[in-house]
Amino acid sequence: MVTISLKKLLNKKDVLSLIKEMSAVMETPILIQDTQGRLLFGEENQKELGHYPVKLADDIIGWISGGEKAASLASLLSYIANKEIQEKMLARETLDKYKEINMLYNISGRLTACLDLKQVANLIIDEATRLIKATSGSLMLLNPDTSEFELVAAIGQEYDPKAPLALGRGIAGNLILTGKAEIINNVQADIRFVEGRNQIYSLICAPLQTKDGIIGVINISHQEPINYTAADLKLLTALASQAASAIENAMLHEQKLKEERIKSNLERYVSAKVVEAILEEKDDFSFEPAKRDIAILFSDIRNFTTKCEELPPELIVEYLNEYFTHMVDVIFSNGGTVNKFVGDMIVAMFGAPSRLVYSEQGAIKTAIEMQKRIKAIPVPWIRQNFITGIGISSGEVIVGNVGSPQHMDYTAIGDKVNIASRLQSIAKGEQILVCRSVYDVTYNLFDFKEVGTVQVKGKKKPVDVFEVIY
């Protein structure tokens, strides 16, 4: 707070000269004392006729003793003191403004160049505690899913460890609701305060406000009883405004990187179009294992082992890559997902990870196109020797990431998967076999020939099998 000393005021040459001249003109001896009775002007042995206050606003900063005319001098000195304080306040305000502008100028460049969330948060806390006296500081973001604060950056020991704060809990939790920055210069007396391991006395808390709402808070605190001022609050509020934009940018950047990583991984399994659909359905998509109704397609080249003996391994690999390229293109174009390649076998899913309304229809359409595409591959040897059998089943399975922490595969597990595999194993070259669950929802869309009830390997009950005619 800006204040003024009567002694320092009288030490000013022009003020002292004016008092002396006025005293001489009024022909009245005067005595000036501060509030503690210490002599500042005149002689103590002077006869006192009156006692008049020198006031700074409503506060008395000294006394003038003398004749009746001394009252005028007291008024004059009060006017000079109030004028002086106004000039000091203006100077302080100008200095605060300069500090604020200088701070914003210095930090804005560094924040613009930083897109890492933790680095941005640390930069903000460092700058805040450099400008404002503090022993602790923290930047917390509100998790919209849990309504709890997550500590992003901190200095000091106040926040280690402390009961988790949430929306409406603690000073920060309440500040989120009001949206107003606060100074609390006696934290212990505030009923909202949640006590931690280390004692704090004074606190400034400012919200991180973006165009979409408040995303978190900045806290600056001191363990000693200091008085934070309105100027401190203004500085932290200005800093919080800069921080909110920088943090929002950093979070968007992190989200973008995460989506790029997901996209990069997904594009190995599904088409780019399906990847976009998955990213747009963020809430509906998860790699966690979950039950899902899907169609499963197994395709395998007949007598592939024998064919491998006819060509050098390098050429077999080259032909396989050509074949897989065409088959994956067909699967992707029909909304399917490549589950895996096992040797020459292809396993594809329809309905996971992206949901597909007509998964059985998509699987059969894919199987037919795969058989026809092989005949169009511009490599005669492939057209003549890659003769495939395809099996399709459908129903509820578990889909998601399965494996060890070192290696995970997005795959499907369940009896329906085993049935598709068995149908593929009994399918002859160029044949497409499906089970009843696939037939029942597609019999009016495709032509079928009933194969009959087949006892497939590994199944106690026989399976109704149908051949797709194309």
Side-chain angles (χ1 to χ4, degrees):
M1 179 180 176
V2 180
T3 185
I4 194 168
S5 161
L6 182 58
K7 182 179 179 181
K8 288 185 178 178
L9 189 63
L10 290 173
N11 283 339
K12 290 192 168 187
K13 285 184 180 178
D14 52 344
V15 175
L16 183 60
S17 175
L18 181 62
I19 294 297
K20 287 179 178 177
E21 287 178 16
M22 290 291 291
S23 177
V25 169
M26 291 188 294
E27 297 178 342
T28 177
I30 59 170
L31 183 73
I32 301 178
Q33 296 172 299
D34 64 15
T35 53
Q36 281 76 46
R38 289 174 295 213
L39 182 65
L40 302 178
F41 180 84
E43 297 178 5
E44 290 191 12
N45 58 1
Q46 291 176 178
K47 185 179 179 181
E48 297 183 13
L49 297 176
H51 206 51
Y52 310 100
V54 179
K55 300 180 74 173
L56 182 64
D58 295 329
D59 298 326
I60 296 174
I61 60 173
W63 296 89
I64 292 183
S65 302
E68 291 183 358
K69 295 179 181 176
S72 300
L73 272 178
S75 297
L76 176 64
L77 207 49
S78 295
Y79 173 80
I80 294 173
N82 281 282
K83 196 74 177 172
E84 184 80 4
I85 198 73
Q86 287 176 10
E87 290 178 359
K88 279 194 171 186
M89 289 175 67
L90 182 61
R92 173 64 63 87
E93 190 176 324
T94 303
L95 179 62
D96 290 342
K97 200 70 182 174
Y98 170 78
K99 285 171 66 178
E100 183 183 334
I101 293 171
N102 195 46
M103 177 271 293
L104 293 177
Y105 176 79
N106 287 334
I107 199 168
S108 62
R110 287 188 286 165
L111 287 177
T112 303
C114 187
L115 286 173
D116 181 87
L117 180 59
K118 278 196 171 295
Q119 285 183 12
V120 169
N122 282 319
L123 190 59
I124 296 296
I125 293 299
D126 288 345
E127 189 69 15
T129 52
R130 188 181 68 79
L131 293 168
I132 304 169
K133 197 173 181 181
T135 56
S136 298
S138 70
L139 190 151
M140 299 185 293
L141 296 181
L142 187 67
N143 185 324
D145 296 327
T146 63
S147 293
E148 290 188 348
F149 284 108
E150 294 176 354
L151 184 65
V152 182
I155 64 163
Q157 298 179 327
E158 163 56 15
Y159 300 93
D160 178 34
K162 187 172 183 175
L165 297 181
L167 191 64
R169 186 166 188 266
I171 293 173
N174 280 277
L175 184 137
I176 289 280
L177 299 177
T178 65
K180 294 181 180 177
E182 285 190 49
I183 295 175
I184 299 123
N185 277 326
N186 186 358
V187 170
Q188 301 296 329
D190 195 309
I191 59 172
R192 301 169 300 173
F193 178 59
V194 176
E195 197 160 353
R197 176 180 294 179
N198 301 291
Q199 182 177 351
I200 66 170
Y201 192 92
S202 301
L203 170 75
I204 310 180
C205 191
L208 297 168
Q209 176 82 53
T210 70
K211 63 181 185 303
D212 297 321
I214 298 173
I215 59 173
V217 294
I218 300 178
N219 292 304
I220 295 295
S221 60
H222 205 290
Q223 60 188 12
E224 300 295 334
I226 65 170
N227 285 322
Y228 286 125
T229 65
D232 294 328
L233 182 68
K234 195 173 180 184
L235 265 181
L236 190 65
T237 303
L239 193 57
S241 176
Q242 289 281 309
S245 298
I247 287 171
E248 189 177 36
N249 287 338
M251 291 171 70
L252 289 173
H253 180 68
E254 286 191 356
Q255 181 64 31
K256 186 73 177 173
L257 290 178
K258 183 181 176 184
E259 287 184 1
E260 288 297 326
R261 284 195 295 272
I262 292 174
K263 189 176 179 183
S264 175
N265 286 327
L266 286 176
E267 282 180 345
R268 292 183 295 174
Y269 303 101
V270 297
S271 68
K273 189 180 291 185
V274 174
V275 170
E276 293 298 329
I278 291 171
L279 293 177
E280 288 174 5
E281 298 173 0
K282 296 183 185 73
D283 295 337
D284 189 44
F285 174 73
S286 171
F287 283 111
E288 293 299 315
K291 288 182 180 178
R292 184 76 70 88
D293 277 315
I294 66 171
I296 308 103
L297 180 153
F298 276 70
S299 173
D300 192 62
I301 300 172
R302 307 292 81 155
N303 302 316
F304 181 71
T305 305
T306 304
K307 299 298 177 186
C308 286
E309 295 175 354
E310 299 177 7
L311 297 173
E314 294 82 359
L315 194 54
I316 287 292
V317 171
E318 180 183 330
Y319 286 168
L320 268 180
N321 287 338
E322 176 77 16
Y323 162 75
F324 284 145
T325 300
H326 284 274
M327 297 302 103
V328 169
D329 180 57
V330 173
I331 293 167
F332 282 2
S333 66
N334 286 291
T337 301
V338 176
N339 179 195
K340 66 185 76 171
F341 299 125
V342 183
D344 62 305
M345 184 173 67
I346 300 171
V347 183
M349 300 184 292
F350 296 80
S354 179
R355 293 187 186 277
L356 200 62
V357 178
Y358 304 109
S359 55
E360 289 89 351
Q361 181 181 340
I364 292 178
K365 188 166 180 289
T366 300
I368 295 172
E369 288 184 21
M370 287 170 74
Q371 296 289 22
K372 292 181 177 178
R373 178 69 74 88
I374 292 173
K375 300 303 178 187
I377 293 176
V379 179
W381 195 91
I382 295 177
R383 294 199 300 269
Q384 294 165 9
N385 295 280
F386 281 12
I387 311 298
T388 61
I390 297 175
I392 301 171
S393 75
S394 68
E396 188 178 81
V397 297
I398 301 294
V399 293
N401 271 344
V402 177
S404 69
Q406 294 83 10
H407 179 77
M408 306 284 282
D409 272 332
Y410 187 82
T411 190
I413 303 292
D415 181 60
K416 306 301 179 186
V417 180
N418 299 332
I419 290 176
S421 174
R422 298 295 180 252
L423 292 178
Q424 173 272 130
S425 66
I426 63 175
K428 298 174 184 175
E430 301 182 357
Q431 197 174 33
I432 302 169
L433 299 181
V434 304
C435 65
R436 177 164 287 284
S437 63
V438 177
Y439 170 81
D440 283 346
V441 294
T442 59
Y443 68 90
N444 58 348
L445 300 173
F446 302 94
D447 294 325
F448 291 94
K449 182 176 81 176
E450 186 171 353
V451 176
T453 301
V454 178
Q455 186 68 50
V456 297
K457 185 180 177 182
K459 293 288 296 180
K460 291 181 180 178
K461 293 183 180 179
V463 177
D464 294 334
V465 180
F466 302 84
E467 180 183 358
V468 179
I469 307 301
Y470 59 94

